[in-house]
Amino acid sequence: MRIVTNQFISLDGVVQAPGGPQEDTDGGFAHGGWSHPFFDADTIGPFLAETMSTTDALLFGRRTWQTMAAAWPERAGDPFADQMNSIKKYVVSDTLTEADLTWTNTTLVPGPEAAAWARRRREADGGDLLIMGSPTLVRSLLTEDLVDELRLIVMPVVLGGGKTIFPTDGVRRAFELVSTTTAKTGTHVTTYRRATA
């Protein structure tokens, strides 16, 4: 099973709160919803659908899971929403309990066990384990060399600071470009796979 991540990302590497003003204001982040002017449904929609077609399960950090769990169940009846609601989901958290897992088909992964758990999942058969958002989780898995593919939706904006998925440990990690498409908004929809050499 491969571990892959989808990220809406700015030119300066920020992934924080692409969806809305109150999504994540940590650190005084004031640009929530920054992705909307650059979203091109004709290019990004098929890319996201293709990503989901190879996904067996979703993995989230706590904050992203809570945001998604509050949004998707009420959209039932839409094919993409129905897939999001029915697919197997895992959430990494030190604070959530089983009683908090109100979104259908969600399993809790305790935070201290996340890297070992992800390593076991990579060794299992099956389709992709997809991480959406969840920058702290993605950064920790990149640090452990457990992310096989980066699917980056690079939007033509510089945000001047905010959360990123990339480790700052000074370690070089090589990826190779697998595909790229440019949307009419100037957004680059790219897939990078861990380099084998």
Side-chain angles (χ1 to χ4, degrees), residues 65 88-92 98 101 103 105-109 117:
W65 180 87
K88 182 71 178 168
K89 293 169 280 290
Y90 299 94
V91 57
V92 175
E98 294 293 335
L101 305 183
W103 194 13
N105 215 9
T106 297
T107 300
L108 182 64
V109 177
W117 179 90

Side-chain angles (χ1 to χ4, degrees), residues 5-170:
T5 185
N6 273 14
Q7 298 290 331
F8 293 100
I9 190 166
S10 69
L11 290 175
D12 55 343
V14 176
V15 298
Q16 188 170 354
Q22 301 307 315
E23 184 179 347
D24 181 358
T25 59
D26 281 1
F29 189 74
H31 303 298
W34 56 268
S35 70
H36 295 296
F38 311 106
F39 190 93
D40 174 26
D42 294 336
T43 304
I44 298 171
F47 179 76
L48 297 177
E50 188 277 330
T51 296
M52 287 298 290
S53 74
T54 61
T55 297
D56 275 359
L58 302 175
L59 176 61
F60 298 101
R62 177 196 53 80
R63 183 193 297 267
T64 303
W65 180 87
Q66 287 178 313
T67 299
M68 298 280 203
W72 286 107
E74 67 186 35
R75 299 177 187 174
D78 171 81
F80 189 81
D82 288 346
Q83 184 179 17
M84 289 290 290
N85 288 325
S86 65
I87 198 168
K88 182 71 178 168
K89 293 169 280 290
Y90 299 94
V91 57
V92 175
S93 176
D94 292 329
T95 57
L96 294 176
T97 67
E98 294 293 335
D100 297 317
L101 305 183
T102 56
W103 194 13
T104 306
N105 215 9
T106 297
T107 300
L108 182 64
V109 177
E113 300 172 21
W117 179 90
R119 197 168 283 110
R120 290 192 302 272
R121 297 300 295 183
R122 278 182 83 218
E123 295 168 357
D125 292 331
D128 294 337
L129 177 63
L130 174 64
I131 309 170
M132 298 177 176
S134 309
T136 303
L137 174 62
V138 173
R139 189 169 50 255
S140 69
L141 295 180
L142 278 168
T143 299
E144 297 286 335
D145 293 321
L146 292 173
V147 177
D148 299 291
E149 196 166 274
L150 302 171
R151 296 174 181 173
L152 305 179
I153 303 165
V154 185
M155 299 189 159
V157 61
V158 173
L159 298 173
K163 292 179 182 177
T164 179
I165 61 169
F166 301 115
T168 57
D169 56 9

